[in-house]
PDB file of all heavy atoms in Angstrom:
ATOM      1  N   ALA A   1      19.407  -8.425  27.727  1.00  0.00           N
ATOM      2  CA  ALA A   1      18.552  -7.344  27.242  1.00  0.00           C
ATOM      3  C   ALA A   1      19.387  -6.140  26.824  1.00  0.00           C
ATOM      4  O   ALA A   1      19.124  -5.513  25.791  1.00  0.00           O
ATOM      5  CB  ALA A   1      17.552  -6.948  28.326  1.00  0.00           C
ATOM      6  N   ALA A   2      20.412  -5.803  27.628  1.00  0.00           N
ATOM      7  CA  ALA A   2      21.276  -4.671  27.304  1.00  0.00           C
ATOM      8  C   ALA A   2      21.994  -4.906  25.980  1.00  0.00           C
ATOM      9  O   ALA A   2      22.138  -3.987  25.157  1.00  0.00           O
ATOM     10  CB  ALA A   2      22.281  -4.448  28.421  1.00  0.00           C
ATOM     11  N   ASP A   3      22.422  -6.146  25.741  1.00  0.00           N
ATOM     12  CA  ASP A   3      23.082  -6.468  24.473  1.00  0.00           C
ATOM     13  C   ASP A   3      22.100  -6.367  23.308  1.00  0.00           C
ATOM     14  O   ASP A   3      22.454  -5.901  22.216  1.00  0.00           O
ATOM     15  CB  ASP A   3      23.677  -7.874  24.523  1.00  0.00           C
ATOM     16  CG  ASP A   3      24.894  -7.972  25.436  1.00  0.00           C
ATOM     17  OD1 ASP A   3      25.514  -6.922  25.710  1.00  0.00           O
ATOM     18  OD2 ASP A   3      25.210  -9.093  25.886  1.00  0.00           O
ATOM     19  N   ALA A   4      20.858  -6.802  23.538  1.00  0.00           N
ATOM     20  CA  ALA A   4      19.855  -6.833  22.470  1.00  0.00           C
ATOM     21  C   ALA A   4      19.491  -5.436  21.975  1.00  0.00           C
ATOM     22  O   ALA A   4      19.169  -5.247  20.797  1.00  0.00           O
ATOM     23  CB  ALA A   4      18.601  -7.564  22.953  1.00  0.00           C
ATOM     24  N   ILE A   5      19.552  -4.451  22.870  1.00  0.00           N
ATOM     25  CA  ILE A   5      19.130  -3.103  22.477  1.00  0.00           C
ATOM     26  C   ILE A   5      20.300  -2.192  22.101  1.00  0.00           C
ATOM     27  O   ILE A   5      20.084  -1.018  21.788  1.00  0.00           O
ATOM     28  CB  ILE A   5      18.289  -2.430  23.580  1.00  0.00           C
ATOM     29  CG1 ILE A   5      19.114  -2.259  24.870  1.00  0.00           C
ATOM     30  CG2 ILE A   5      16.998  -3.191  23.835  1.00  0.00           C
ATOM     31  CD1 ILE A   5      18.405  -1.449  25.933  1.00  0.00           C
ATOM     32  N   LYS A   6      21.511  -2.727  22.083  1.00  0.00           N
ATOM     33  CA  LYS A   6      22.660  -1.901  21.720  1.00  0.00           C
ATOM     34  C   LYS A   6      22.504  -1.217  20.370  1.00  0.00           C
ATOM     35  O   LYS A   6      22.839  -0.033  20.225  1.00  0.00           O
ATOM     36  CB  LYS A   6      23.939  -2.751  21.742  1.00  0.00           C
ATOM     37  CG  LYS A   6      24.552  -2.913  23.128  1.00  0.00           C
ATOM     38  CD  LYS A   6      25.841  -3.713  23.054  1.00  0.00           C
ATOM     39  CE  LYS A   6      26.465  -3.879  24.443  1.00  0.00           C
ATOM     40  NZ  LYS A   6      27.714  -4.698  24.385  1.00  0.00           N
ATOM     41  N   PRO A   7      21.991  -1.908  19.344  1.00  0.00           N
ATOM     42  CA  PRO A   7      21.846  -1.227  18.037  1.00  0.00           C
ATOM     43  C   PRO A   7      20.817  -0.103  18.052  1.00  0.00           C
ATOM     44  O   PRO A   7      20.780   0.710  17.128  1.00  0.00           O
ATOM     45  CB  PRO A   7      21.393  -2.358  17.101  1.00  0.00           C
ATOM     46  CG  PRO A   7      21.783  -3.619  17.795  1.00  0.00           C
ATOM     47  CD  PRO A   7      21.640  -3.323  19.252  1.00  0.00           C
ATOM     48  N   TRP A   8      19.992  -0.047  19.107  1.00  0.00           N
ATOM     49  CA  TRP A   8      18.887   0.918  19.143  1.00  0.00           C
ATOM     50  C   TRP A   8      19.103   1.997  20.190  1.00  0.00           C
ATOM     51  O   TRP A   8      18.169   2.697  20.557  1.00  0.00           O
ATOM     52  CB  TRP A   8      17.574   0.175  19.419  1.00  0.00           C
ATOM     53  CG  TRP A   8      17.407  -1.021  18.542  1.00  0.00           C
ATOM     54  CD1 TRP A   8      17.488  -2.338  18.907  1.00  0.00           C
ATOM     55  CD2 TRP A   8      17.176  -1.022  17.128  1.00  0.00           C
ATOM     56  NE1 TRP A   8      17.322  -3.147  17.824  1.00  0.00           N
ATOM     57  CE2 TRP A   8      17.120  -2.369  16.721  1.00  0.00           C
ATOM     58  CE3 TRP A   8      16.989  -0.003  16.184  1.00  0.00           C
ATOM     59  CZ2 TRP A   8      16.905  -2.726  15.390  1.00  0.00           C
ATOM     60  CZ3 TRP A   8      16.776  -0.359  14.868  1.00  0.00           C
ATOM     61  CH2 TRP A   8      16.729  -1.704  14.479  1.00  0.00           C
ATOM     62  N   ARG A   9      20.333   2.157  20.650  1.00  0.00           N
ATOM     63  CA  ARG A   9      20.626   3.162  21.655  1.00  0.00           C
ATOM     64  C   ARG A   9      20.212   4.556  21.186  1.00  0.00           C
ATOM     65  O   ARG A   9      20.585   4.977  20.088  1.00  0.00           O
ATOM     66  CB  ARG A   9      22.115   3.165  22.013  1.00  0.00           C
ATOM     67  CG  ARG A   9      22.570   1.960  22.815  1.00  0.00           C
ATOM     68  CD  ARG A   9      21.963   1.949  24.202  1.00  0.00           C
ATOM     69  NE  ARG A   9      22.508   0.882  25.043  1.00  0.00           N
ATOM     70  CZ  ARG A   9      22.039   0.577  26.243  1.00  0.00           C
ATOM     71  NH1 ARG A   9      21.002   1.251  26.721  1.00  0.00           N
ATOM     72  NH2 ARG A   9      22.585  -0.379  26.943  1.00  0.00           N
ATOM     73  N   ARG A  10      19.410   5.219  22.006  1.00  0.00           N
ATOM     74  CA  ARG A  10      18.980   6.601  21.786  1.00  0.00           C
ATOM     75  C   ARG A  10      18.239   6.778  20.460  1.00  0.00           C
ATOM     76  O   ARG A  10      18.275   7.835  19.848  1.00  0.00           O
ATOM     77  CB  ARG A  10      20.170   7.566  21.871  1.00  0.00           C
ATOM     78  CG  ARG A  10      20.904   7.496  23.187  1.00  0.00           C
ATOM     79  CD  ARG A  10      22.101   8.411  23.219  1.00  0.00           C
ATOM     80  NE  ARG A  10      21.705   9.809  23.303  1.00  0.00           N
ATOM     81  CZ  ARG A  10      21.425  10.465  24.426  1.00  0.00           C
ATOM     82  NH1 ARG A  10      21.471   9.815  25.586  1.00  0.00           N
ATOM     83  NH2 ARG A  10      21.084  11.734  24.393  1.00  0.00           N
ATOM     84  N   LYS A  11      17.545   5.711  20.036  1.00  0.00           N
ATOM     85  CA  LYS A  11      16.765   5.772  18.803  1.00  0.00           C
ATOM     86  C   LYS A  11      15.275   5.618  19.102  1.00  0.00           C
ATOM     87  O   LYS A  11      14.880   4.849  19.973  1.00  0.00           O
ATOM     88  CB  LYS A  11      17.197   4.677  17.828  1.00  0.00           C
ATOM     89  CG  LYS A  11      18.567   4.873  17.218  1.00  0.00           C
ATOM     90  CD  LYS A  11      18.875   3.778  16.214  1.00  0.00           C
ATOM     91  CE  LYS A  11      20.263   3.962  15.620  1.00  0.00           C
ATOM     92  NZ  LYS A  11      20.578   2.881  14.644  1.00  0.00           N
ATOM     93  N   LEU A  12      14.487   6.353  18.354  1.00  0.00           N
ATOM     94  CA  LEU A  12      13.039   6.190  18.348  1.00  0.00           C
ATOM     95  C   LEU A  12      12.669   5.690  16.954  1.00  0.00           C
ATOM     96  O   LEU A  12      13.044   6.303  15.954  1.00  0.00           O
ATOM     97  CB  LEU A  12      12.333   7.516  18.620  1.00  0.00           C
ATOM     98  CG  LEU A  12      10.828   7.518  18.327  1.00  0.00           C
ATOM     99  CD1 LEU A  12      10.067   6.741  19.390  1.00  0.00           C
ATOM    100  CD2 LEU A  12      10.294   8.937  18.222  1.00  0.00           C
ATOM    101  N   THR A  13      11.966   4.574  16.893  1.00  0.00           N
ATOM    102  CA  THR A  13      11.551   4.012  15.612  1.00  0.00           C
ATOM    103  C   THR A  13      10.046   4.108  15.474  1.00  0.00           C
ATOM    104  O   THR A  13       9.299   3.710  16.378  1.00  0.00           O
ATOM    105  CB  THR A  13      11.991   2.543  15.484  1.00  0.00           C
ATOM    106  OG1 THR A  13      13.407   2.455  15.640  1.00  0.00           O
ATOM    107  CG2 THR A  13      11.596   1.976  14.128  1.00  0.00           C
ATOM    108  N   ILE A  14       9.602   4.656  14.360  1.00  0.00           N
ATOM    109  CA  ILE A  14       8.173   4.723  14.054  1.00  0.00           C
ATOM    110  C   ILE A  14       7.893   3.676  12.986  1.00  0.00           C
ATOM    111  O   ILE A  14       8.484   3.696  11.907  1.00  0.00           O
ATOM    112  CB  ILE A  14       7.757   6.120  13.576  1.00  0.00           C
ATOM    113  CG1 ILE A  14       8.029   7.137  14.696  1.00  0.00           C
ATOM    114  CG2 ILE A  14       6.280   6.139  13.187  1.00  0.00           C
ATOM    115  CD1 ILE A  14       7.656   8.564  14.340  1.00  0.00           C
ATOM    116  N   VAL A  15       7.019   2.740  13.323  1.00  0.00           N
ATOM    117  CA  VAL A  15       6.705   1.618  12.447  1.00  0.00           C
ATOM    118  C   VAL A  15       5.317   1.827  11.859  1.00  0.00           C
ATOM    119  O   VAL A  15       4.341   1.983  12.596  1.00  0.00           O
ATOM    120  CB  VAL A  15       6.755   0.282  13.206  1.00  0.00           C
ATOM    121  CG1 VAL A  15       6.500  -0.888  12.250  1.00  0.00           C
ATOM    122  CG2 VAL A  15       8.088   0.120  13.920  1.00  0.00           C
ATOM    123  N   VAL A  16       5.242   1.844  10.546  1.00  0.00           N
ATOM    124  CA  VAL A  16       3.960   1.983   9.850  1.00  0.00           C
ATOM    125  C   VAL A  16       3.680   0.679   9.118  1.00  0.00           C
ATOM    126  O   VAL A  16       4.484   0.232   8.293  1.00  0.00           O
ATOM    127  CB  VAL A  16       3.979   3.155   8.856  1.00  0.00           C
ATOM    128  CG1 VAL A  16       2.660   3.223   8.086  1.00  0.00           C
ATOM    129  CG2 VAL A  16       4.235   4.471   9.589  1.00  0.00           C
ATOM    130  N   ARG A  17       2.573   0.076   9.448  1.00  0.00           N
ATOM    131  CA  ARG A  17       2.155  -1.154   8.772  1.00  0.00           C
ATOM    132  C   ARG A  17       1.098  -0.788   7.738  1.00  0.00           C
ATOM    133  O   ARG A  17       0.095  -0.152   8.078  1.00  0.00           O
ATOM    134  CB  ARG A  17       1.598  -2.157   9.775  1.00  0.00           C
ATOM    135  CG  ARG A  17       1.279  -3.536   9.172  1.00  0.00           C
ATOM    136  CD  ARG A  17       0.666  -4.449  10.223  1.00  0.00           C
ATOM    137  NE  ARG A  17       0.381  -5.762   9.673  1.00  0.00           N
ATOM    138  CZ  ARG A  17       1.171  -6.819   9.776  1.00  0.00           C
ATOM    139  NH1 ARG A  17       2.317  -6.716  10.427  1.00  0.00           N
ATOM    140  NH2 ARG A  17       0.844  -7.985   9.240  1.00  0.00           N
ATOM    141  N   VAL A  18       1.333  -1.177   6.486  1.00  0.00           N
ATOM    142  CA  VAL A  18       0.414  -0.821   5.408  1.00  0.00           C
ATOM    143  C   VAL A  18      -0.178  -2.093   4.798  1.00  0.00           C
ATOM    144  O   VAL A  18       0.437  -3.165   4.811  1.00  0.00           O
ATOM    145  CB  VAL A  18       1.113   0.005   4.306  1.00  0.00           C
ATOM    146  CG1 VAL A  18       1.664   1.291   4.887  1.00  0.00           C
ATOM    147  CG2 VAL A  18       2.235  -0.792   3.649  1.00  0.00           C
ATOM    148  N   ARG A  19      -1.389  -1.961   4.303  1.00  0.00           N
ATOM    149  CA  ARG A  19      -2.036  -3.056   3.583  1.00  0.00           C
ATOM    150  C   ARG A  19      -2.253  -2.633   2.137  1.00  0.00           C
ATOM    151  O   ARG A  19      -2.548  -1.470   1.859  1.00  0.00           O
ATOM    152  CB  ARG A  19      -3.372  -3.427   4.242  1.00  0.00           C
ATOM    153  CG  ARG A  19      -4.376  -2.315   4.254  1.00  0.00           C
ATOM    154  CD  ARG A  19      -5.769  -2.831   4.630  1.00  0.00           C
ATOM    155  NE  ARG A  19      -5.848  -3.149   6.043  1.00  0.00           N
ATOM    156  CZ  ARG A  19      -6.194  -2.272   6.987  1.00  0.00           C
ATOM    157  NH1 ARG A  19      -6.447  -1.011   6.655  1.00  0.00           N
ATOM    158  NH2 ARG A  19      -6.274  -2.615   8.233  1.00  0.00           N
ATOM    159  N   LEU A  20      -2.096  -3.566   1.238  1.00  0.00           N
ATOM    160  CA  LEU A  20      -2.254  -3.293  -0.188  1.00  0.00           C
ATOM    161  C   LEU A  20      -3.347  -4.185  -0.764  1.00  0.00           C
ATOM    162  O   LEU A  20      -3.564  -5.305  -0.291  1.00  0.00           O
ATOM    163  CB  LEU A  20      -0.939  -3.548  -0.929  1.00  0.00           C
ATOM    164  CG  LEU A  20       0.273  -2.728  -0.483  1.00  0.00           C
ATOM    165  CD1 LEU A  20       1.535  -3.220  -1.175  1.00  0.00           C
ATOM    166  CD2 LEU A  20       0.057  -1.248  -0.755  1.00  0.00           C
ATOM    167  N   HIS A  21      -4.025  -3.693  -1.774  1.00  0.00           N
ATOM    168  CA  HIS A  21      -5.051  -4.493  -2.426  1.00  0.00           C
ATOM    169  C   HIS A  21      -4.392  -5.733  -3.044  1.00  0.00           C
ATOM    170  O   HIS A  21      -3.317  -5.625  -3.669  1.00  0.00           O
ATOM    171  CB  HIS A  21      -5.745  -3.671  -3.518  1.00  0.00           C
ATOM    172  CG  HIS A  21      -6.995  -4.306  -4.025  1.00  0.00           C
ATOM    173  ND1 HIS A  21      -6.985  -5.361  -4.911  1.00  0.00           N
ATOM    174  CD2 HIS A  21      -8.305  -4.050  -3.756  1.00  0.00           C
ATOM    175  CE1 HIS A  21      -8.214  -5.731  -5.185  1.00  0.00           C
ATOM    176  NE2 HIS A  21      -9.045  -4.957  -4.497  1.00  0.00           N
ATOM    177  N   PRO A  22      -4.992  -6.911  -2.894  1.00  0.00           N
ATOM    178  CA  PRO A  22      -4.365  -8.135  -3.435  1.00  0.00           C
ATOM    179  C   PRO A  22      -4.106  -8.087  -4.931  1.00  0.00           C
ATOM    180  O   PRO A  22      -3.241  -8.816  -5.434  1.00  0.00           O
ATOM    181  CB  PRO A  22      -5.395  -9.228  -3.096  1.00  0.00           C
ATOM    182  CG  PRO A  22      -6.149  -8.685  -1.920  1.00  0.00           C
ATOM    183  CD  PRO A  22      -6.211  -7.195  -2.139  1.00  0.00           C
ATOM    184  N   GLN A  23      -4.815  -7.236  -5.663  1.00  0.00           N
ATOM    185  CA  GLN A  23      -4.624  -7.156  -7.112  1.00  0.00           C
ATOM    186  C   GLN A  23      -3.688  -6.017  -7.521  1.00  0.00           C
ATOM    187  O   GLN A  23      -3.663  -5.620  -8.692  1.00  0.00           O
ATOM    188  CB  GLN A  23      -5.977  -6.995  -7.797  1.00  0.00           C
ATOM    189  CG  GLN A  23      -6.891  -8.214  -7.616  1.00  0.00           C
ATOM    190  CD  GLN A  23      -8.234  -8.060  -8.302  1.00  0.00           C
ATOM    191  OE1 GLN A  23      -8.607  -6.957  -8.707  1.00  0.00           O
ATOM    192  NE2 GLN A  23      -8.960  -9.157  -8.437  1.00  0.00           N
ATOM    193  N   ASN A  24      -2.902  -5.518  -6.560  1.00  0.00           N
ATOM    194  CA  ASN A  24      -1.961  -4.447  -6.890  1.00  0.00           C
ATOM    195  C   ASN A  24      -0.867  -4.990  -7.812  1.00  0.00           C
ATOM    196  O   ASN A  24      -0.668  -6.207  -7.935  1.00  0.00           O
ATOM    197  CB  ASN A  24      -1.354  -3.855  -5.613  1.00  0.00           C
ATOM    198  CG  ASN A  24      -0.350  -4.793  -4.964  1.00  0.00           C
ATOM    199  OD1 ASN A  24       0.802  -4.884  -5.360  1.00  0.00           O
ATOM    200  ND2 ASN A  24      -0.811  -5.524  -3.944  1.00  0.00           N
ATOM    201  N   VAL A  25      -0.133  -4.083  -8.431  1.00  0.00           N
ATOM    202  CA  VAL A  25       0.931  -4.481  -9.369  1.00  0.00           C
ATOM    203  C   VAL A  25       2.328  -4.196  -8.797  1.00  0.00           C
ATOM    204  O   VAL A  25       3.315  -4.249  -9.526  1.00  0.00           O
ATOM    205  CB  VAL A  25       0.760  -3.749 -10.723  1.00  0.00           C
ATOM    206  CG1 VAL A  25      -0.525  -4.174 -11.401  1.00  0.00           C
ATOM    207  CG2 VAL A  25       0.783  -2.231 -10.532  1.00  0.00           C
ATOM    208  N   PHE A  26       2.414  -3.913  -7.495  1.00  0.00           N
ATOM    209  CA  PHE A  26       3.708  -3.617  -6.885  1.00  0.00           C
ATOM    210  C   PHE A  26       4.569  -4.877  -6.805  1.00  0.00           C
ATOM    211  O   PHE A  26       4.074  -5.978  -6.542  1.00  0.00           O
ATOM    212  CB  PHE A  26       3.530  -3.048  -5.478  1.00  0.00           C
ATOM    213  CG  PHE A  26       2.812  -1.731  -5.436  1.00  0.00           C
ATOM    214  CD1 PHE A  26       1.616  -1.593  -4.736  1.00  0.00           C
ATOM    215  CD2 PHE A  26       3.321  -0.622  -6.076  1.00  0.00           C
ATOM    216  CE1 PHE A  26       0.944  -0.384  -4.688  1.00  0.00           C
ATOM    217  CE2 PHE A  26       2.663   0.599  -6.049  1.00  0.00           C
ATOM    218  CZ  PHE A  26       1.471   0.710  -5.343  1.00  0.00           C
ATOM    219  N   VAL A  27       5.874  -4.700  -6.985  1.00  0.00           N
ATOM    220  CA  VAL A  27       6.827  -5.801  -6.803  1.00  0.00           C
ATOM    221  C   VAL A  27       7.685  -5.564  -5.562  1.00  0.00           C
ATOM    222  O   VAL A  27       8.469  -6.428  -5.175  1.00  0.00           O
ATOM    223  CB  VAL A  27       7.729  -5.973  -8.040  1.00  0.00           C
ATOM    224  CG1 VAL A  27       6.899  -6.407  -9.241  1.00  0.00           C
ATOM    225  CG2 VAL A  27       8.498  -4.695  -8.344  1.00  0.00           C
ATOM    226  N   THR A  28       7.537  -4.407  -4.941  1.00  0.00           N
ATOM    227  CA  THR A  28       8.217  -4.087  -3.700  1.00  0.00           C
ATOM    228  C   THR A  28       7.356  -3.091  -2.931  1.00  0.00           C
ATOM    229  O   THR A  28       6.386  -2.544  -3.475  1.00  0.00           O
ATOM    230  CB  THR A  28       9.615  -3.488  -3.968  1.00  0.00           C
ATOM    231  OG1 THR A  28      10.316  -3.349  -2.725  1.00  0.00           O
ATOM    232  CG2 THR A  28       9.507  -2.134  -4.645  1.00  0.00           C
ATOM    233  N   VAL A  29       7.685  -2.880  -1.679  1.00  0.00           N
ATOM    234  CA  VAL A  29       6.902  -1.963  -0.852  1.00  0.00           C
ATOM    235  C   VAL A  29       7.059  -0.540  -1.374  1.00  0.00           C
ATOM    236  O   VAL A  29       8.187  -0.074  -1.575  1.00  0.00           O
ATOM    237  CB  VAL A  29       7.355  -2.026   0.626  1.00  0.00           C
ATOM    238  CG1 VAL A  29       6.519  -1.086   1.487  1.00  0.00           C
ATOM    239  CG2 VAL A  29       7.246  -3.450   1.155  1.00  0.00           C
ATOM    240  N   PRO A  30       5.962   0.161  -1.636  1.00  0.00           N
ATOM    241  CA  PRO A  30       6.062   1.554  -2.088  1.00  0.00           C
ATOM    242  C   PRO A  30       6.842   2.404  -1.093  1.00  0.00           C
ATOM    243  O   PRO A  30       6.949   2.069   0.091  1.00  0.00           O
ATOM    244  CB  PRO A  30       4.597   1.996  -2.184  1.00  0.00           C
ATOM    245  CG  PRO A  30       3.826   0.722  -2.361  1.00  0.00           C
ATOM    246  CD  PRO A  30       4.569  -0.310  -1.568  1.00  0.00           C
ATOM    247  N   SER A  31       7.372   3.517  -1.568  1.00  0.00           N
ATOM    248  CA  SER A  31       8.244   4.366  -0.749  1.00  0.00           C
ATOM    249  C   SER A  31       7.444   5.278   0.186  1.00  0.00           C
ATOM    250  O   SER A  31       7.467   6.512   0.061  1.00  0.00           O
ATOM    251  CB  SER A  31       9.162   5.192  -1.653  1.00  0.00           C
ATOM    252  OG  SER A  31       9.985   4.360  -2.415  1.00  0.00           O
ATOM    253  N   TYR A  32       6.750   4.653   1.147  1.00  0.00           N
ATOM    254  CA  TYR A  32       6.059   5.448   2.163  1.00  0.00           C
ATOM    255  C   TYR A  32       7.095   6.189   2.997  1.00  0.00           C
ATOM    256  O   TYR A  32       8.152   5.649   3.324  1.00  0.00           O
ATOM    257  CB  TYR A  32       5.221   4.546   3.066  1.00  0.00           C
ATOM    258  CG  TYR A  32       4.007   3.963   2.372  1.00  0.00           C
ATOM    259  CD1 TYR A  32       4.089   2.731   1.740  1.00  0.00           C
ATOM    260  CD2 TYR A  32       2.794   4.643   2.350  1.00  0.00           C
ATOM    261  CE1 TYR A  32       2.982   2.191   1.099  1.00  0.00           C
ATOM    262  CE2 TYR A  32       1.682   4.104   1.717  1.00  0.00           C
ATOM    263  CZ  TYR A  32       1.789   2.884   1.085  1.00  0.00           C
ATOM    264  OH  TYR A  32       0.702   2.350   0.443  1.00  0.00           O
ATOM    265  N   GLU A  33       6.776   7.410   3.357  1.00  0.00           N
ATOM    266  CA  GLU A  33       7.696   8.242   4.124  1.00  0.00           C
ATOM    267  C   GLU A  33       7.044   8.675   5.420  1.00  0.00           C
ATOM    268  O   GLU A  33       5.839   8.964   5.469  1.00  0.00           O
ATOM    269  CB  GLU A  33       8.089   9.479   3.316  1.00  0.00           C
ATOM    270  CG  GLU A  33       8.809   9.155   2.014  1.00  0.00           C
ATOM    271  CD  GLU A  33       9.118  10.405   1.210  1.00  0.00           C
ATOM    272  OE1 GLU A  33       8.412  11.420   1.403  1.00  0.00           O
ATOM    273  OE2 GLU A  33      10.058  10.373   0.401  1.00  0.00           O
ATOM    274  N   VAL A  34       7.842   8.715   6.476  1.00  0.00           N
ATOM    275  CA  VAL A  34       7.387   9.199   7.776  1.00  0.00           C
ATOM    276  C   VAL A  34       8.153  10.467   8.109  1.00  0.00           C
ATOM    277  O   VAL A  34       9.387  10.493   8.040  1.00  0.00           O
ATOM    278  CB  VAL A  34       7.603   8.143   8.878  1.00  0.00           C
ATOM    279  CG1 VAL A  34       7.198   8.703  10.239  1.00  0.00           C
ATOM    280  CG2 VAL A  34       6.807   6.877   8.576  1.00  0.00           C
ATOM    281  N   VAL A  35       7.432  11.512   8.437  1.00  0.00           N
ATOM    282  CA  VAL A  35       8.037  12.804   8.789  1.00  0.00           C
ATOM    283  C   VAL A  35       7.623  13.161  10.204  1.00  0.00           C
ATOM    284  O   VAL A  35       6.447  13.067  10.565  1.00  0.00           O
ATOM    285  CB  VAL A  35       7.581  13.913   7.818  1.00  0.00           C
ATOM    286  CG1 VAL A  35       8.168  15.265   8.232  1.00  0.00           C
ATOM    287  CG2 VAL A  35       8.001  13.579   6.394  1.00  0.00           C
ATOM    288  N   VAL A  36       8.595  13.558  11.018  1.00  0.00           N
ATOM    289  CA  VAL A  36       8.336  14.042  12.372  1.00  0.00           C
ATOM    290  C   VAL A  36       8.726  15.511  12.418  1.00  0.00           C
ATOM    291  O   VAL A  36       9.839  15.874  12.036  1.00  0.00           O
ATOM    292  CB  VAL A  36       9.134  13.250  13.428  1.00  0.00           C
ATOM    293  CG1 VAL A  36       8.897  13.823  14.824  1.00  0.00           C
ATOM    294  CG2 VAL A  36       8.744  11.778  13.395  1.00  0.00           C
ATOM    295  N   ALA A  37       7.806  16.350  12.865  1.00  0.00           N
ATOM    296  CA  ALA A  37       8.071  17.797  12.849  1.00  0.00           C
ATOM    297  C   ALA A  37       7.473  18.464  14.070  1.00  0.00           C
ATOM    298  O   ALA A  37       6.592  17.911  14.740  1.00  0.00           O
ATOM    299  CB  ALA A  37       7.497  18.421  11.581  1.00  0.00           C
ATOM    300  N   SER A  38       7.956  19.651  14.354  1.00  0.00           N
ATOM    301  CA  SER A  38       7.373  20.471  15.411  1.00  0.00           C
ATOM    302  C   SER A  38       6.038  21.014  14.908  1.00  0.00           C
ATOM    303  O   SER A  38       5.766  21.000  13.704  1.00  0.00           O
ATOM    304  CB  SER A  38       8.304  21.624  15.754  1.00  0.00           C
ATOM    305  OG  SER A  38       8.372  22.527  14.653  1.00  0.00           O
ATOM    306  N   PRO A  39       5.170  21.496  15.812  1.00  0.00           N
ATOM    307  CA  PRO A  39       3.910  22.100  15.356  1.00  0.00           C
ATOM    308  C   PRO A  39       4.130  23.235  14.358  1.00  0.00           C
ATOM    309  O   PRO A  39       3.269  23.501  13.515  1.00  0.00           O
ATOM    310  CB  PRO A  39       3.280  22.604  16.655  1.00  0.00           C
ATOM    311  CG  PRO A  39       3.813  21.671  17.701  1.00  0.00           C
ATOM    312  CD  PRO A  39       5.228  21.391  17.270  1.00  0.00           C
ATOM    313  N   ALA A  40       5.319  23.875  14.419  1.00  0.00           N
ATOM    314  CA  ALA A  40       5.627  24.963  13.487  1.00  0.00           C
ATOM    315  C   ALA A  40       6.121  24.460  12.138  1.00  0.00           C
ATOM    316  O   ALA A  40       6.303  25.248  11.209  1.00  0.00           O
ATOM    317  CB  ALA A  40       6.668  25.890  14.097  1.00  0.00           C
ATOM    318  N   GLY A  41       6.362  23.143  12.044  1.00  0.00           N
ATOM    319  CA  GLY A  41       6.769  22.568  10.770  1.00  0.00           C
ATOM    320  C   GLY A  41       8.237  22.241  10.635  1.00  0.00           C
ATOM    321  O   GLY A  41       8.664  21.731   9.601  1.00  0.00           O
ATOM    322  N   GLU A  42       9.039  22.490  11.671  1.00  0.00           N
ATOM    323  CA  GLU A  42      10.471  22.177  11.606  1.00  0.00           C
ATOM    324  C   GLU A  42      10.666  20.672  11.745  1.00  0.00           C
ATOM    325  O   GLU A  42      10.301  20.072  12.750  1.00  0.00           O
ATOM    326  CB  GLU A  42      11.233  22.900  12.715  1.00  0.00           C
ATOM    327  CG  GLU A  42      12.728  22.675  12.675  1.00  0.00           C
ATOM    328  CD  GLU A  42      13.459  23.405  13.789  1.00  0.00           C
ATOM    329  OE1 GLU A  42      12.796  24.163  14.535  1.00  0.00           O
ATOM    330  OE2 GLU A  42      14.684  23.209  13.903  1.00  0.00           O
TER     331      GLU A  42
END
C-alpha cells in the first residue's frame, strides 16, 4: 500500500465525472477546469 501511494504523497485529487450528449461533436474531453479557493477568492 505504501508503494502504491508514493506518486500521490501529500496530494489531494479532485475528480469530476462529466456526461456528454451522445450526439455531441467532441473528439476529446472538453477542457473542464477545477478551481480551489478560499472564501475570499484566493
Side-chain angles (χ1 to χ4, degrees):
D3 289 339
I5 62 173
K6 277 182 180 178
W8 312 108
R9 289 293 187 187
R10 302 178 72 85
K11 290 183 181 179
L12 167 74
T13 303
I14 298 180
V15 183
V16 177
R17 186 183 181 96
V18 300
R19 61 167 73 89
L20 301 172
H21 193 282
Q23 295 180 346
N24 73 81
V25 295
F26 296 120
V27 295
T28 187
V29 181
S31 298
Y32 289 92
E33 299 177 336
V34 177
V35 177
V36 177
S38 67
E42 183 180 355

